[in-house]
């Protein structure tokens, strides 16, 4: 790192990469300039800290880069928007190998490339530990943003994407195992259903949230923002066979991961009863008058999900 | 910190604050939504690390917040744009007092408020050291972006804003002094000439750069991007009397701060010879055919400015 200097690093981040199509001015100036044809822009930011959000003995730098990008791209898609670009802040110790930074940013580029986005700007600075900050921008393409606050009683609650996989993968890594790789891989790199966000918006969804803290916790955020109650039907919970196998090996209940595991970035949406759920969405329960989240009309026992700074 | 939890913190950041006028959707959802009436959006990001970019024994958290916001707002303004909004990533140790986070974000709000912007989104996470990442968005209001690459031979080089003040303030703090407060204050909180960016663009400037690395270094970036040479006339260098006094007390040459000191966020612009410089701009030299930066036609000796990771 120390040899390259800041300018060399920023040049490397974009070497050989095609800037996303809406880029009027890319990296290398005081700021980037992007097309916002819709006359609105969606923006979100997330910070990942080594040892808190990722461990480089549990994931490669490329996987960490993909995960950092995915968390932000998912937030944009959960608004019903299409991600257009990322700007990236990297704080890394001076002794970090250049290859680590190359892999981190390469992972971000590869994940962004899955939705047609890319890195249009960044800053690389020196620090004691690796801190990755990603800001994602998005285009609503004429649609109204899908917020957390639009749900109404009698609507259908539905989910698209994985639940509990990342938590199961983390449980495996914590036990010191590395297998099964499909489940460990789900923790290393989430697979948000990016296109499901804009699709749900177009289909008539009234509210949506990216599940990053856990199903119960994020259903609670949606219920609170909308001023409604949410009931999840336990029989509808998608518990993948892979998770049941891992849970049996670890002596735990896979349903706990499905209800409280975050970081899979599934989307939780609400649809009017007359709307047919788009392909890929699974009915999970109902929106009701009232407040709070229940499972089969009973309160959930225990922690709803994972939160920073809580002991 | 640990008591509040992440959601409590994010609520605090915006408590009692008016969101900027272009905010269609503010904090509290998966992403914010902003007006981009111009059909383009300007975006830039900067990361500040405790111990590298700031020290809390040399500046209050409020001052650090202002400085972090200023660095990004200045980058937007140097494109000829008007800053509209910030999104903020904060990584802080769990034992950090809540008041420190309140002051940091309050400083960002106050600095953003000077240009009519505000914080529309953020993420607060746990880390070993304080890392502040700010992303600023801006509105070109129909103007072409003022890049580093538009300068042409025979144009006039001019500067608006302070040169060397932040470096002089840092030299004072490094010596263990705290006075004079006007110079120390210039290091703690820069005073970028925000409105000079859009004004210069409207007046016909052809190229501009925010001086964050130092006059010589950033003139070099502009010269390289434009494929021109830049000559600075030493007689035109604005060396403030306050800096001459401090330099005498420290036994150094104030001109060195003016030539190589960064972080004042003055703007360096190029203007066609027929254009009258807008109020507040000082002629500094000429753009010529060729490459590189000279002072009175001679190369500058020594380091052009400050760069990360260089030993």
């Amino acid at each position: 790192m120390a040899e390259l200097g800041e300018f060399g690093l920023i040049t490397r981040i974009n070497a050989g990469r095609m800037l996303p199509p809406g880029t009027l001015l890319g990296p290398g100036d005081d700021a980037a300039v992007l097309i916002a044809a819709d006359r609105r822009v969606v923006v979100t930011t997330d910070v990942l800290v080594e040892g808190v959000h990722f461990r480089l003995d549990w994931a490669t730098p490329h996987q960490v880069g993909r995960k950092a990008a995915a968390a932000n791209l998912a937030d944009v898609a959960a608004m019903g928007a299409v991600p257009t670009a990322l700007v990236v802040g990297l704080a890394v110790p001076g002794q970090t190998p250049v290859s680590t930074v190359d892999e981190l940013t390469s992972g971000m580029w590869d994940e962004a490339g899955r939705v047609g986005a890319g890195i249009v700007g960044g800053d690389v600075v020196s620090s004691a530990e690796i801190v990755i900050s990603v800001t994602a921008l998005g285009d609503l393409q004429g649609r109204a943003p899908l917020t957390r606050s639009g749900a109404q009683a009698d609507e259908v609650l539905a989910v698209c994407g994985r639940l509990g996989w990342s938590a199961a993968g983390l449980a495996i890594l914590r036990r010191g195992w590395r297998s099964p790789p499909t489940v460990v891989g789900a923790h290393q790199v989430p697979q948000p259903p990016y296109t499901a966000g804009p699709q749900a918006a177009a289909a008539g969804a009234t509210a949506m949230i990216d599940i990053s803290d856990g199903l119960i916790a994020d259903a609670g955020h949606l219920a609170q923002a909308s001023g409604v109650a949410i009931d999840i039907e336990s029989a509808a919970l998608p518990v993948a066979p892979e998770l049941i196998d891992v849970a049996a090996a670890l002596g735990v209940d896979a349903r706990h991961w499905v209800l409280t595991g975050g970081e899979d970035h599934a989307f939780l949406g609400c649809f009017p009863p007359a709307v047919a759920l788009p392909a890929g969405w699974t009915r999970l329960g109902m929106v009701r008058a009232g407040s709070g989240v229940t499972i089969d009309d009973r309160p959930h026992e225990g922690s709803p999900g994972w939160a920073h700074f809580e002991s």
Side-chain angles (χ1 to χ4, degrees), chain A:
Chain A
M1 287 294 298
E3 302 152 30
L4 274 179
E6 189 187 357
F7 300 105
L9 273 173
I10 289 171
T11 307
R12 280 180 87 93
I13 289 174
N14 285 281
R17 298 287 187 172
M18 284 270 287
L19 289 171
T23 314
L24 296 170
L25 184 69
D29 222 294
D30 288 330
V33 183
L34 301 172
I35 290 176
D38 172 85
R39 294 176 181 266
R40 296 170 299 177
V41 63
V42 174
V43 59
T44 184
T45 197
D46 262 315
V47 182
L48 282 80
V49 178
E50 184 176 11
V52 178
H53 302 90
F54 63 89
R55 283 174 50 165
L56 286 175
D57 54 339
W58 283 355
T60 65
H62 189 274
Q63 288 170 330
V64 171
R66 285 191 62 185
K67 188 168 187 162
N72 285 280
L73 298 167
D75 275 334
V76 168
M79 301 302 293
V82 174
T84 51
L86 304 179
V87 292
V88 174
L90 275 181
V92 289
Q95 70 273 21
T96 308
V98 173
S99 62
T100 299
V101 176
D102 282 351
E103 280 187 62
L104 270 171
T105 54
S106 175
M108 291 184 207
W109 267 106
D110 289 346
E111 190 66 20
R114 297 185 60 214
V115 292
I119 303 175
V120 299
D123 190 24
V124 183
V125 301
S126 176
S127 65
E129 59 186 344
I130 300 182
V131 178
I132 305 169
S133 114
V134 179
T135 299
L137 305 183
D139 176 9
L140 285 162
Q141 298 180 329
R143 292 180 294 274
L146 255 184
T147 68
R148 303 175 176 188
S149 58
Q152 296 191 31
D154 300 323
E155 290 181 340
V156 172
L157 182 77
V159 69
C160 183
R162 288 169 158 185
L163 290 176
W165 282 72
S166 180
L170 179 60
I172 294 168
L173 288 166
R174 279 195 172 137
R175 189 65 71 96
W177 301 346
R178 293 279 177 164
S179 174
T182 50
V183 182
V184 172
H187 177 72
Q188 291 161 325
V189 181
Q191 296 184 17
Y194 296 118
T195 56
Q199 278 169 355
T206 59
M208 191 146 56
I209 189 168
D210 164 45
I211 302 179
S212 51
D213 295 324
L215 173 60
I216 301 278
D218 285 315
H221 298 146
L222 194 152
Q224 186 173 18
S226 292
V228 296
I230 284 179
D231 185 59
I232 295 168
E233 294 151 17
S234 64
L237 281 176
V239 185
E242 291 90 335
L243 302 198
I244 293 170
D245 292 348
V246 170
L250 291 172
V252 298
D253 181 357
R255 242 176 52 128
H256 179 69
W257 294 328
V258 171
L259 288 171
T260 66
E263 298 201 343
D264 287 302
H265 301 289
F267 298 158
L268 186 68
C270 299
F271 296 83
V275 166
L277 293 183
W281 286 82
T282 303
R283 181 198 154 98
L284 214 55
M286 288 295 293
V287 181
R288 301 212 178 126
S291 67
V293 178
T294 51
I295 301 173
D296 300 333
D297 295 318
R298 287 187 299 270
H300 172 68
E301 315 256 318
S303 165
W306 182 80
H308 291 290
F309 298 122
E310 288 182 3
S311 46

